[in-house]
Amino acid sequence: MKILVVDDEKDVRALFEQRFRREIRSGQFAFTFAYSGEEALDFLHAHPSEVVLILSDINMPGMSGLELLKRIRQEYAAPPPPLPPQVMMITAYGDEESHQQALQLGANDFLTKPVDFTALKAKLTSMASHEN
Amino acid sequence: MNFNTSVLISIVPALLIVRGLRRFLDLPVRMPRFNALLNHIWVPGVVLMGLAYLFEWKSDQLDEFYIFIVLSIVVLVLIRLSFYRPARTLLLAVAPYTLYAAIELLIAVTGRDLLKEYDDVFETSQGFAFIWLFTFLFIARSQKKSLEAERLQREEEEKAKRLIEAQNAELERLVAERTSTLTQQTEELREALTELRTTQAQLIQAEKMASLGELTAGIAHEIQNPLNFVTNFSDVSAELITELDEERQKSERDPELEAELLEDLRQNLTKITFHGQRAASIVRGMLEHSRASSGERQPTDLNVLADEYLRLAYHGLRAKNKAFNATMNTDFDPNLGQIEAVSQDLGRVLLNLFTNAFYAVHKKQEAHPQDGYVPTVSVRTHRTAENTVEVHVRDNGAGIPEGMQQKIFQPFFTTKPTGEGTGLGLSLSYDIVTKGHGGTLTVESEEGTGTEFIITLPA
């Protein structure tokens, strides 16, 4: 299952790679990282229908996570093919307003920082098993 | 009965003489007691007459004798008053005639023949004595007049002098009054000034605290991020150690994996240190910002300072309004180098400019939500050929109308609603840049396009 992580903090990569070491090794998950909304869109355009799940930070300079979400939902508006990716929003501001906005824009889930990796792992594993 | 009536007749000229003497010499003032006695000038005349009647003594010289007595009294008065110049002159006038009268009387009493024999001489002498008398009377009169005139003039002068003195005293009083009023006013002004200074210091502190309040959320966010990494990397490192332990229990160990785990551990520790320091530096910056400025210049990297405060300002506004988002462009001149500056103070200036810029783009975004407007705040640093460094803070907000551009650096000028801004931010920033660092703070703005603030500092 290919997962795209979008966050302006570059150390997120090391964190994810270590947290999901076993899953990555076993080939259960494959992570790709983008450091801005724009970069994420570029990647999606270059690799269509590869990414199954997008984990995106909301609060980023430039294109915000919500903006990215909006763009993705617009581009994948028409039903398959390709299958639209799942989008999980992650934010340091766990406020209700952002939450509502994210859901309204079509986010599949909403997480707050600091990310509970155990819970996240469980969610991803269940998604992966669903997919299979 | 034979009265010496001639004596009675002589009393009349005696009274006239006394009257003249009184008026001429001001006797009631100069010699009040003697003046009173002069009222009895008739007494000797009457006494003489009485004696002559009693002794039935008939003499032609009785009236002359009386006149002589009167003259003697006059001379006596004049001698007593000889300190007075007209009196002396008068004495000079009367003396020959008195002398003549005395001699004539003496001769008449002793031997009448002599008188007849030298009749011409006596008559001539009497004539001379009279002329002398009247001449000197006249002189005395004019002396008196001139003395009187002098006295009057002196009195006038005295009066004028008194008047001037009175005026002087009045002026002195007025001056004293004015001086006391002025002193009081000065005192009041000084107090007002002290009060103003205190208020100003309080306002500056309030402004600082207000901007710190705006910062709090930004700081919280900025600290939260590195702290999350510290927590996460610590957690994951614990996991790595468990994994490593498990690996070492195995009979067939994978040295490659062990090396990888160890390498990750090493990396994580570096990252924990890095993010820990990042949080610490933010806390340090916040403390520095809230502390009263030491005013000490230290080598400062404006690129770092601008980056730090750009993020703080952004997150500060984000904390207040979650829906807000803006693009931040940074263009830092790698050759900027360090400059001597009071970093807390310059930090406040930058924070203020960034906050304003974000505020401006946010307002514009609110006004035009659907136009595809991308709120953008840019910061650019750059070292000029004139050996100065410039920091450009640019926003693509609504811009500042030209008429307002001159006012924005004035204290208490604000376009924000009451309670949202102190109106001191830019004015304090201006002071910090110009007075504190010998630089300039200028603004370039175009309505509808955006605003750019330029800090220029000597390198």
Side-chain angles (χ1 to χ4, degrees), chain B residues 15 31 34 55 91 107 121 158 176 190 232 248 254 301 344 362 373 395 405 409 415 428 442:
Chain B
L15 286 173
M31 307 171 75
F34 213 94
F55 296 105
L91 186 62
I107 291 171
V121 177
E158 199 69 20
R190 189 171 298 141
N232 280 320
R248 287 173 63 189
D254 180 348
D301 187 338
Q344 301 107 290
H362 177 51
Y373 168 67
D395 66 68
Q405 287 180 22
F409 295 114
T415 56
L428 287 177
T442 54

Side-chain angles (χ1 to χ4, degrees), chain B residues 217-276:
Chain B
I219 288 163
H221 180 88
E222 286 293 303
I223 295 175
Q224 190 60 51
N225 268 343
L227 283 184
N228 284 344
F229 278 115
V230 170
T231 317
N232 280 320
F233 279 116
S234 305
D235 274 0
V236 85
S237 296
E239 275 177 25
L240 290 182
I241 288 169
T242 316
E243 212 174 314
L244 195 60
D245 259 349
E246 284 168 9
E247 194 62 32
R248 287 173 63 189
Q249 307 290 322
K250 287 181 183 170
S251 49
E252 278 181 40
R253 289 163 63 171
D254 180 348
E256 208 178 299
L257 177 68
E258 279 183 21
E260 191 190 320
L261 291 173
L262 282 171
E263 173 58 23
D264 279 355
L265 268 173
R266 200 185 58 77
Q267 237 182 52
N268 288 357
L269 291 176
T270 314
K271 288 189 191 302
I272 287 168
T273 311
F274 170 76
H275 287 288

Side-chain angles (χ1 to χ4, degrees), chain B residues 7 11 18 61 73 112 121 149 168 191 272 282 325 368 423 448:
Chain B
V7 173
I11 286 175
V18 164
Q61 275 74 45
I73 289 169
R112 305 183 61 130
V121 177
N168 276 349
E191 268 170 37
I272 287 168
I282 290 159
N325 191 55
H368 311 278

Side-chain angles (χ1 to χ4, degrees), chain A residues 4-19:
Chain A
L4 173 64
V5 180
V6 190
D7 199 314
D8 59 323
E9 293 273 5
K10 295 201 164 57
D11 274 346
V12 163
R13 179 185 198 123
L15 199 59
F16 270 80
E17 281 176 353
Q18 290 183 30
R19 285 285 191 184

